[in-house]
Every structure is written in structure tokens, then in C-alpha cells.
Amino acid sequence: MTVSIFCGHPDLENSSSHQFLRAACPEEIHFIPIPTDYDEHFIQESQEILLKSERIYLQFPLYWYQAPGHLVQWLQDLLSDDFLDQNGKRLVGKSLGLIVTVGSPLSYYQAGGKNNVSLSTLFSPYQTLCQTLKWEFLPAFILSQYHYLSEADQFKHYVAFQYYLLNPKRGGFSQRSRWLIDRLRSRQEDFSPELSSKVDLLIDAWEGRLDELEMLDAELPKTTRH
């Protein structure tokens, strides 16, 4: 699957949170910064990438409850009437997800919270866009208050973000565990021999427990709703 991220941060190089997300982006995913002074050539390039991509992410900081202005304008220029008329059928069936950083606690974004509005409500225009284009609207990835995260929490978000990009619907415990095992195996050549041996032992034990859990789950009676 071809996956592309269009990043609309107006000052990407000086944003530690978005540089963190950029560094976490797997090599197989295209990361495209949107310039604040983009030209028609960039729009054409973006349209070509859009047509080739099966899953698209928009990455941006939340500014006053919305995306930065240049990203909104880019999206309007990208999906011009001429482009949609010429490529409408080729666009059907794609999926769109949002990667958003917020400076406030997530508890602010709910009915009765300090901002008294949910993120789902703020993202509804993108959901409507997906309905119009016949795209699937994916769950969003939210990075809240990055500057206050401990190193351990940053690592957790790093792994969670990589998993989200390839598995945006999250999946169950078993699926997420096997994905992480595969990622560990793919990086073992970067480890020292001693650490690699410890990782092998960890993976063997982890896989054994997963097999036991999956066998137990298969044996449990399934409830049926009428």
C-alpha cells in the first residue's frame, strides 16, 4: 500500500513535536512538507502523489481550533474542480487520516471541558470531504503537549505513531504485539550481539504467550447478539 503524509506546519524545521513525528515516520511512507509559498508546480506534484497514494495523512498543529491557513488553501487548490472532473473515478476508495498536535490537555477538548468542543467536531469538515470524495475517514492520531512528555512517554508515542501509520484502525492486542515483534526483528542487525540475544529470548517468550492467548480465545464460547 502506498502511504503519503502531507505536513502543513508553517515552521516545520523549528517544531520539535513535528520533527519528532517526522523522525518516527517509516522509510516506506512518503513525507511531503507543504511550503507556505507553494506554487502551481507543487500543486501538480501533490496531485500526482495523491493519485498514486492509497492512504493519505494530513499532519498539522491545531491553531485556534483549525489547521494552518496555508494547508487549508493548499487543499482547496489541490482538489480543484478541473482535477476532480478529470480524476474523480481514480480518487474513489482512498482513505484519509489526520495527524494533529495540540498544546492543551486532551481533557480540554470535550463537551464541558475548557474548550467545550470535541476534536471529532473540529475534524468534521474532513469527514464531510471524505464522504464527498467517497473516501474512508480514519481515526486521528493526536499528539498532546509533546514538550511535557517524559523520555519514556516519547518512546511510547514513537512506537504508537509508527504502528498507527500502517494500522490506523489500531487492531487488537495480538495484532499490535505481532507488529511490534516484526519491527524488533527488522532492527536486530542494529543491536549488539548481547542485546540481540536478549531480544531473541524476549521474542520467543512473547510469541509463546501470544500463541497461548490465541488458543484460549479460540476455545472460549462466543456470545451471539440477536
Side-chain angles (χ1 to χ4, degrees):
M1 172 178 286
T2 304
V3 182
S4 300
I5 298 174
F6 289 98
C7 179
H9 196 295
D11 191 16
L12 177 61
E13 298 305 320
N14 292 314
S15 170
S16 57
S17 59
H18 283 260
Q19 287 297 332
F20 168 79
L21 292 171
R22 185 176 192 175
C25 180
E27 293 181 359
E28 62 266 33
I29 293 179
H30 305 291
F31 185 92
I32 307 100
I34 303 172
T36 55
D37 57 348
Y38 65 83
D39 55 18
E40 182 60 30
H41 179 66
F42 181 77
I43 291 296
Q44 292 174 358
E45 287 184 340
S46 300
Q47 290 172 338
E48 292 174 3
I49 294 171
L50 177 62
L51 290 172
K52 295 176 182 178
S53 302
E54 299 167 75
R55 182 185 300 153
I56 303 98
Y57 290 107
L58 299 181
Q59 179 179 321
F60 57 88
L62 198 64
Y63 286 170
W64 287 107
Y65 314 110
Q66 58 188 325
H70 82 287
L71 184 148
V72 176
Q73 185 60 55
W74 167 84
L75 191 59
Q76 293 177 4
D77 294 337
L78 177 77
L79 301 174
S80 66
D81 290 341
D82 288 343
F83 177 70
L84 293 179
D85 288 343
Q86 295 172 15
N87 300 281
K89 292 183 179 179
R90 295 178 62 188
L91 291 171
V92 171
K94 298 181 183 294
S95 55
L96 173 70
L98 304 179
I99 302 164
V100 181
T101 59
V102 295
S104 304
L106 290 180
S107 60
Y108 284 17
Y109 292 95
Q110 58 183 323
K114 184 173 181 179
N115 294 331
N116 203 31
V117 63
S118 69
L119 290 173
S120 294
T121 299
L122 296 177
F123 298 157
S124 60
Y126 300 96
Q127 184 175 11
T128 302
L129 174 66
C130 286
Q131 291 174 346
T132 300
L133 297 176
K134 298 181 180 179
W135 289 3
E136 179 183 14
F137 187 53
L138 301 171
F141 183 91
I142 311 299
L143 181 61
S144 171
Q145 295 189 295
Y146 170 78
H147 296 289
Y148 295 99
L149 295 177
S150 65
E151 185 175 350
D153 285 335
Q154 287 182 10
F155 178 75
K156 290 178 182 178
H157 280 78
Y158 188 97
V159 174
F161 181 60
Q162 288 194 327
Y163 178 83
Y164 166 79
L165 291 176
L166 301 174
N167 307 274
K169 294 185 179 180
R170 188 173 173 78
F173 174 78
S174 178
Q175 179 182 337
R176 286 180 282 134
S177 295
R178 294 199 182 279
W179 174 85
L180 185 54
I181 287 172
D182 289 340
R183 300 298 288 189
L184 283 172
R185 281 191 172 131
S186 69
R187 297 293 302 275
Q188 270 190 278
E189 62 182 21
D190 299 330
F191 303 155
S192 66
E194 181 181 359
L195 180 56
S196 182
S197 296
K198 292 180 179 179
V199 170
D200 277 332
L201 293 173
L202 172 64
I203 289 175
D204 288 343
W206 197 349
E207 284 189 317
R209 296 303 299 271
L210 284 175
D211 290 340
E212 292 175 7
L213 288 173
E214 289 170 356
M215 290 175 62
L216 178 61
D217 182 65
E219 294 173 358
L220 291 174
K222 300 297 186 292
T223 58
T224 304
R225 294 184 179 180
H226 298 285

